[in-house]
Amino acid sequence: MTGIIRYLGRSALSWVEVTRAVLGVVSLSLNTFVLKFAKGSSATRSVLFKQIYFTGFEALPIISWIALILGLIIVTQIVNILPKLGAEGLIGEIFVWVVIREIGPVFASVIVIARSGTAIASELGAMKISRELTALEVMGIDTMHYLIAPRVIGTAISVFVLTFYFEIVAILGGYLLAGFGQNIAFSVYINSILEAMSFLEVAVSLLKSLLFGLIIGAVCSYYGLTVERSITQIPQKTTKAVIGSLRLVFVVDAVITFIFFI
Amino acid sequence: MPSEDFESGSLVELINVSSFMDSGAAIFDSANLRLRAGERVLITAPVASGKSLFLKLLSGLSSPEKGVVFLFGQDIKELDADGLNQMRSRMGFVFQDNILISNLKVVENVALPILYHSTIAHEEAMKRAFELLEETGFSGDAWSLPGPLPLYAKKEVALARALALEPEILVCENIWDFLKGDEKTHISALLNGYHARNSGALMIFTANNENDAEYSRPDRVIRIESGGFIEQPH
């Protein structure tokens, strides 16, 4: 019993420690980026654009596939269940509740964690082992400004845009079934979704996506930077980065949902 | 506030510096060293005898347990992060293992310090980087990643990067190691050319011994020994 309590205590403490470090990375990234906006802007802008390209643009095909199929699956379920409940008119509401409020930001984040979070953690880990971070420091280049802030901010911008894109494609995917399978007119389908959608729904969805992006960028950078000397630490820290990002994304998702929708 | 010695041309000064290993053994014990503008200095010590620590102290990566390190007349300990970075931008480092940034192309590696520390346009910085690569004799693909390059080509790129901002202090860490005779001659000529154009630049070479001193052409040879810097007859 004491062993379990000790284990839970240790886990909680390490959680607090990681969360504090991640908050530190987020605030330092935002601070550095704003305060040193003009300094070395050409070099840091290039890192930022590359991050957006790899995290956002290159994720579009996989995001499209998943959003299209998920939209189709969700509408299939809604169309089958609602008539049994005598609530056919709720198709728009349910779609908005499920896709816009929850699945959009969460799925975009999960895909970004899998594709780019792992890349950020392993790349920074490898750079640290090969002393590239030391080389940057010795050149007088602020690694937080040049390496970390563009990654954190680039990831946030990417998740924000990917979430928006995911939701649009999911709506279109849903229409593929609603329109062709159930003979619902596109205008009827879109109107039912638009009527169910409020400014708050969209704003909260995009707020979530921004926060999730910041979290992913910061958690993965943090774990990448905690690699010390051994190359075997890179996959270990990358795994921790993935698990840590997922944990924090879901916790923050729950907190925001409680704040805005309860 | 710059020190008086800086006014008299001292760019690097270590005063009563002590640094210890984890075991408690002293690497530097009240060590003193003054390096002036325009000098070419060879610092020798066997492997793991203090050369790397000296370079860390010099670049502000490490602080001494006791004593003071002055760089360009400023006590390093008194500098904030931005102040220290500003000092570092006045120095060029050629690392023993080159340490090029692996996710940047060769030309981007050379342009990086220019882009980060100066306000010149991107195109101008890239043009300057190409010129530097040409000056060092780099003949590979400047748009390739540096990872697969041969050691000598990496050394040329590392040298081009170190010279990118025309440093007032150029540090060459064991630069002659693993180079062939003609490669050493070529790099030596490049360094001599730089010193001829920038006669006020302080050039610091580190080496395990004096075997390749002819390539460094030092004005002073200093040996790290018994926790201090011992001037060698030269």
Side-chain angles (χ1 to χ4, degrees), chain A residues 32 36 38-47 50 123 126-127 130-147 151 229, chain B residues 56 59 61 82 84-86 88-89 91 93 95-105 108-109 112-113 115-118 120-122 161 165 173:
Chain A
T32 320
K36 294 187 177 174
K39 165 87 180 158
S41 59
S42 176
T44 47
R45 228 186 297 136
S46 155
V47 181
K50 276 185 192 166
E123 186 186 32
M127 287 179 84
S130 57
R131 297 205 302 144
E132 290 173 38
L133 301 190
T134 307
L136 288 172
E137 265 186 79
V138 169
M139 283 191 271
I141 293 175
D142 178 351
T143 47
M144 180 55 76
H145 178 224
Y146 173 72
L147 272 188
R151 277 171 172 75
R229 284 180 188 172
Chain B
K56 282 182 180 172
S59 56
L61 288 177
D82 287 339
L84 187 56
N85 283 336
Q86 208 268 327
R88 287 166 173 165
S89 71
M91 304 167 75
F93 268 80
F95 299 96
Q96 182 176 16
D97 43 359
N98 305 310
I99 321 186
L100 301 172
I101 306 303
S102 54
N103 59 14
L104 293 181
K105 308 278 170 52
E108 291 172 332
N109 262 282
L112 178 60
L115 287 170
Y116 192 83
H117 288 295
S118 75
I120 69 171
H122 189 268
R161 181 180 67 181
L165 292 171
E173 184 189 18

Side-chain angles (χ1 to χ4, degrees), chain B residues 70-215:
Chain B
F70 284 103
L71 187 61
F72 299 109
Q74 300 272 342
D75 180 352
I76 287 187
K77 261 192 285 191
E78 287 179 4
L79 294 169
D80 61 8
D82 287 339
L84 187 56
N85 283 336
Q86 208 268 327
M87 292 290 171
R88 287 166 173 165
S89 71
R90 297 165 67 184
M91 304 167 75
F93 268 80
V94 183
F95 299 96
Q96 182 176 16
D97 43 359
N98 305 310
I99 321 186
L100 301 172
I101 306 303
S102 54
N103 59 14
L104 293 181
K105 308 278 170 52
V106 165
V107 67
E108 291 172 332
N109 262 282
V110 180
L112 178 60
I114 308 174
L115 287 170
Y116 192 83
H117 288 295
S118 75
T119 51
I120 69 171
H122 189 268
E123 294 73 30
E124 277 297 305
M126 296 304 272
K127 194 176 152 210
R128 179 74 192 117
F130 275 112
E131 285 169 3
L132 282 158
L133 283 171
E134 203 181 319
E135 281 169 27
T136 54
F138 178 77
S139 57
D141 178 6
W143 287 107
S144 65
L145 289 170
L149 291 177
L151 177 78
Y152 178 59
K154 283 184 182 168
K155 193 67 78 188
E156 287 175 323
V157 180
L159 183 59
R161 181 180 67 181
L163 298 180
L165 292 171
E166 305 228 327
E168 292 160 68
I169 300 175
L170 179 66
V171 181
C172 301
E173 184 189 18
N174 291 33
I175 193 168
W176 312 117
D177 288 5
F178 311 115
L179 293 183
K180 295 176 201 150
D182 55 335
E183 294 169 345
K184 290 177 192 173
T185 307
H186 176 63
I187 297 277
S188 177
L190 288 171
L191 293 170
N192 295 339
Y194 180 74
H195 203 234
R197 288 195 306 278
N198 301 273
S199 55
L202 164 64
M203 297 178 94
I204 302 171
F205 298 86
T206 65
N208 296 342
N209 48 51
E210 290 179 46
N211 290 352
D212 288 318
E214 57 182 299
Y215 298 106

Side-chain angles (χ1 to χ4, degrees), chain A residues 26-257:
Chain A
V26 170
S27 79
L28 260 176
S29 297
L30 294 174
N31 246 331
T32 320
F33 207 74
V34 173
L35 292 177
K36 294 187 177 174
F37 190 73
K39 165 87 180 158
S41 59
S42 176
T44 47
R45 228 186 297 136
S46 155
V47 181
L48 176 70
F49 289 157
K50 276 185 192 166
Q51 192 61 50
I52 293 172
Y53 178 80
F54 291 126
T55 305
F57 187 74
E58 287 201 332
L60 287 177
I62 182 73
I63 286 273
S64 306
W65 265 108
I66 293 177
L68 206 65
I69 292 169
L70 257 166
L72 200 139
I73 291 169
I74 289 164
V75 172
T76 306
Q77 298 285 12
I78 296 173
V79 165
N80 276 310
I81 293 168
L82 289 186
K84 293 174 190 163
L85 303 171
E88 290 88 339
L90 287 179
I91 181 167
E93 269 93 344
I94 294 183
F95 196 89
V96 168
W97 295 338
V98 175
V99 174
I100 310 292
R101 279 189 188 180
E102 290 302 328
I103 286 184
V106 168
F107 261 76
S109 300
V110 170
I111 291 164
V112 166
I113 290 169
R115 283 190 76 256
S116 307
T118 48
I120 291 172
S122 53
E123 186 186 32
L124 289 176
M127 287 179 84
K128 192 155 176 212
I129 285 181
S130 57
R131 297 205 302 144
E132 290 173 38
L133 301 190
T134 307
L136 288 172
E137 265 186 79
V138 169
M139 283 191 271
I141 293 175
D142 178 351
T143 47
M144 180 55 76
H145 178 224
Y146 173 72
L147 272 188
I148 310 302
R151 277 171 172 75
V152 172
I153 291 166
T155 308
I157 293 171
S158 300
V159 176
F160 181 84
V161 175
L162 287 176
T163 298
F164 193 65
Y165 177 76
F166 182 99
E167 290 167 356
I168 289 171
V169 176
I171 290 171
L172 293 177
Y175 177 68
L176 280 181
L177 184 96
F180 298 113
Q182 306 291 322
N183 282 328
I184 300 172
F186 184 68
S187 58
V188 174
Y189 172 75
I190 286 293
N191 278 337
S192 70
I193 290 176
L194 289 179
E195 275 169 22
M197 209 183 312
S198 65
F199 173 74
L200 182 72
E201 309 276 1
V202 179
V204 171
S205 173
L206 296 178
L207 169 73
K208 276 185 182 179
S209 65
L210 259 186
L211 289 177
F212 294 171
L214 288 173
I215 287 168
I216 296 164
V219 171
C220 296
S221 298
Y222 167 74
Y223 278 108
L225 294 175
T226 56
V227 169
E228 277 158 21
R229 284 180 188 172
S230 163
I231 204 155
T232 53
Q233 282 187 313
I234 295 177
Q236 291 167 354
K237 296 289 183 180
T238 303
T239 307
K240 283 191 173 182
V242 170
I243 302 297
S245 301
L246 286 172
R247 274 180 175 174
L248 265 180
V249 161
F250 281 107
V251 168
V252 172
D253 187 24
V255 170
I256 292 178
T257 303

